Amino acid sequence: MSRKGRFALMSLGATALLIAIASLSNGVGLGQRAIAQTMADHYLAATADTVHWGYFSQDLAPELVMNSGETVTVETLTHHANDDASLMVMGDPGAESVYEWTEDGKGVDRRGAGSIDPEVYTVGAGEGAGVHILTGPIYVNGAEPGDVLEVEILDVAPRPSANPDYEGRTFGSNAAAWWGFHYNDMLEESREVITIYELDSTGEEDYATALYNFQWTPQTDPYGVVHEIIDYPGVPVDHDTVEENYEVLEGVTVPIRPHFGVIGLAPAEADIVDSVPPSYFGGNIDNWRIGKGATMYYPVAVEGGLLSMGDPHAAQGDSELAGTAIETSLTGTFRVTVHKQDELPDTVLEDLYYPLLETDTEYIVHGFSYPNYLADLGETAQQDIYANSSIDKAMRDAFRKMRHFLMTTQGLTEDEAVSLMSVAADFGITQVVDGNWGVHGIIKKEVLPMA
């Protein structure tokens, strides 16, 4: 039986979805609002068996097979839940299976794109080169290289805390970490600080508030390895070793805009690809606009696309300056559609070679320091990208992609495109923390001749 055939049976229909929802203990795993509003063709829970941690791979067997035009509800887990396991892991069977880590083993061993040879790795399998918990991959029937995959985000809901003391609440973590843009420009000694945020899981409140913060201290993982800094995903924080400060951001409310930091397809250039740097295949774009009501388009590089998603966020600002957003677990419902290569001419997807975001009112292109760093930087690309990014390069790429979009899909000349970009397009810093830095360009549909 083919790979597609072997995994087609893992696809859940609407009737099975009802059974799956009913079996979830205490409603954990799918926000109540999502249950009420959205019934999808398929359902993919986040467990140790359905996630891959820290990497994309064209060699992964799909966890779900679906047809073009169908919908799927997907659970996604934050890779920062162990910053406070009592609020974000304990009592939640899916999260517990993923985060399981004892001296005898881990629920998910590989956590990153690095080596899994115990004679080579020093921190843990995967070396932490890649950090995001990704649910999937999903094989989309009919998707082939040269096609474009459309991912429409129909609904997003917070994953409720399983802690009975916090019924109806959801929690997330913001890490002001060593990879943050700010880290070597602190007024006082450089330090890593975790801030735990709280929000409403019922959808009645549209804001988050800070619960407490603490400074990272050396943490010893269940294998006995000491982590002086946040260097390996899923390290459990021993709260007896940190000082919790509950007088933090008092009176401040943060508007939530739930979104997915990572949605992407498997690239073709390498077998195992670090989840941190974004690229032409999508991945860790970290644009807060990729939330409910948005549609993303991705060029397909491998058969079936192999769609994965994760890095869920409750809120984030442009630049993601300190290293992370409010990292929280979310459940999303998506409609996935294949656009065949021969159908792309004379549409906004013509000759699309980059991830494109569409909202009701805007088109948004995503520029990176290197548009395809895996090809641009050669055999050592996954190591070299972190030292070679710049905003200048990302801005140049965003300009070129916006010029391409306007000339190819709107029929403008180069002179017309350049003028329109200067007077009507907005360019912003998407992120400066993901290895391959990002700049996005926004053009409103109302100004375009063929919107």
Side-chain angles (χ1 to χ4, degrees):
M1 185 178 292
S2 69
R3 185 173 72 166
K4 287 190 292 183
R6 283 189 290 116
F7 292 93
L9 294 177
M10 302 181 72
S11 176
L12 287 175
T15 301
L17 172 61
L18 291 171
I19 298 172
I21 291 173
S23 68
L24 293 172
S25 62
N26 300 320
V28 171
L30 188 62
Q32 297 301 314
R33 184 167 60 85
I35 293 175
Q37 290 185 358
T38 308
M39 297 302 293
D41 297 310
H42 307 276
Y43 182 77
L44 186 57
T47 72
D49 295 326
T50 62
V51 305
H52 47 109
W53 196 327
Y55 64 97
F56 289 90
S57 176
Q58 61 182 318
D59 293 332
L60 280 170
E63 297 299 332
L64 178 73
V65 176
M66 63 186 296
N67 294 319
S68 175
E70 291 183 336
T71 56
V72 58
T73 295
V74 182
E75 295 179 8
T76 64
L77 298 173
T78 175
H79 54 291
H80 278 272
N82 252 356
D83 290 343
D84 191 329
S86 70
L87 299 179
M88 292 182 274
V89 178
M90 294 179 183
D92 180 333
E96 287 180 336
S97 74
V98 171
Y99 273 93
E100 180 185 1
W101 191 353
T102 69
E103 61 181 11
D104 297 321
K106 300 200 292 278
V108 179
D109 187 42
R110 172 184 276 280
R111 300 183 182 186
S115 174
I116 59 171
D117 183 349
E119 299 298 324
V120 175
Y121 67 69
T122 57
V123 177
E127 299 279 357
V131 297
H132 308 99
I133 300 172
L134 303 179
T135 309
I138 297 171
Y139 186 106
V140 185
N141 287 323
E144 299 174 303
D147 297 341
V148 170
L149 196 69
E150 173 185 342
V151 181
E152 182 182 359
I153 304 174
L154 302 177
D155 199 11
V156 183
R159 187 182 185 95
S161 173
N163 189 319
D165 293 334
Y166 293 96
E167 184 176 357
R169 310 304 290 173
T170 292
F171 297 89
S173 174
N174 166 250
W178 60 268
W179 62 87
F181 191 82
H182 72 295
Y183 189 71
N184 292 316
D185 197 16
M186 302 284 283
L187 295 175
E188 301 175 10
E189 183 180 5
S190 295
R191 58 206 176 273
E192 294 182 296
V193 177
I194 305 294
T195 304
I196 301 298
Y197 285 83
E198 177 181 2
L199 58 146
D200 175 27
S201 62
T202 69
E204 295 179 3
E205 300 171 357
D206 60 358
Y207 59 87
T209 56
L211 182 62
Y212 70 93
N213 70 4
F214 64 89
Q215 186 170 326
W216 182 273
T217 59
Q219 298 295 315
T220 303
D221 71 32
Y223 286 172
V225 176
V226 177
H227 301 265
E228 299 285 345
I229 59 174
I230 306 170
D231 62 356
Y232 188 73
V235 171
V237 173
D238 179 355
H239 281 255
D240 288 337
T241 69
V242 302
E243 183 177 347
E244 298 175 355
N245 169 31
Y246 283 84
E247 296 179 356
V248 56
L249 291 174
E250 293 179 325
V252 173
T253 56
V254 179
I256 62 168
R257 34 197 188 192
H259 63 281
F260 298 92
V262 177
I263 303 176
L265 309 182
E269 288 78 7
D271 292 337
I272 301 290
V273 176
D274 183 347
S275 69
V276 174
S279 192
Y280 75 92
F281 54 85
N284 190 29
I285 291 177
D286 277 333
N287 187 336
W288 61 262
R289 299 161 184 84
I290 305 177
K292 182 178 179 179
T295 299
M296 286 296 298
Y297 302 96
Y298 304 95
V300 176
V302 302
E303 181 185 346
L306 296 183
L307 170 67
S308 299
M309 52 201 67
D311 192 25
H313 298 161
Q316 181 203 297
D318 282 335
S319 85
E320 201 178 17
L321 182 96
T324 77
I326 298 180
E327 311 285 327
T328 194
S329 298
L330 301 173
T331 295
T333 297
F334 309 85
R335 178 178 290 111
V336 181
T337 304
V338 177
H339 296 274
K340 301 300 294 180
Q341 188 172 12
D342 60 3
E343 300 169 351
L344 303 181
D346 300 321
T347 74
V348 294
L349 304 181
E350 183 173 353
D351 194 30
L352 187 72
Y353 64 90
Y354 45 81
L356 176 69
L357 168 58
E358 180 181 7
T359 71
D360 288 342
T361 59
E362 300 167 333
Y363 290 110
I364 304 172
V365 301
H366 293 94
F368 309 113
S369 297
Y370 293 87
N372 181 353
Y373 76 95
L374 293 168
D376 296 336
L377 297 179
E379 291 184 0
T380 58
Q382 296 193 58
Q383 294 77 42
D384 294 346
I385 183 60
Y386 290 97
N388 285 281
S389 289
S390 76
I391 290 298
D392 286 353
K393 293 175 183 177
M395 180 66 202
R396 180 71 59 190
D397 186 45
F399 153 69
R400 290 171 174 169
K401 287 170 177 171
M402 181 64 80
R403 178 179 61 187
H404 171 273
F405 178 80
L406 294 174
M407 293 181 67
T408 303
T409 74
Q410 303 300 309
L412 302 187
T413 67
E414 183 176 30
D415 291 340
E416 289 174 324
V418 169
S419 178
L420 185 59
M421 276 188 277
S422 192
V423 302
D426 293 314
F427 290 86
I429 299 173
T430 323
Q431 52 76 24
V432 288
V433 294
D434 292 343
N436 200 10
W437 291 2
V439 168
H440 54 269
I442 304 174
I443 188 73
K444 292 190 178 296
K445 292 179 178 179
E446 63 185 9
V447 308
L448 298 177
M450 294 180 285

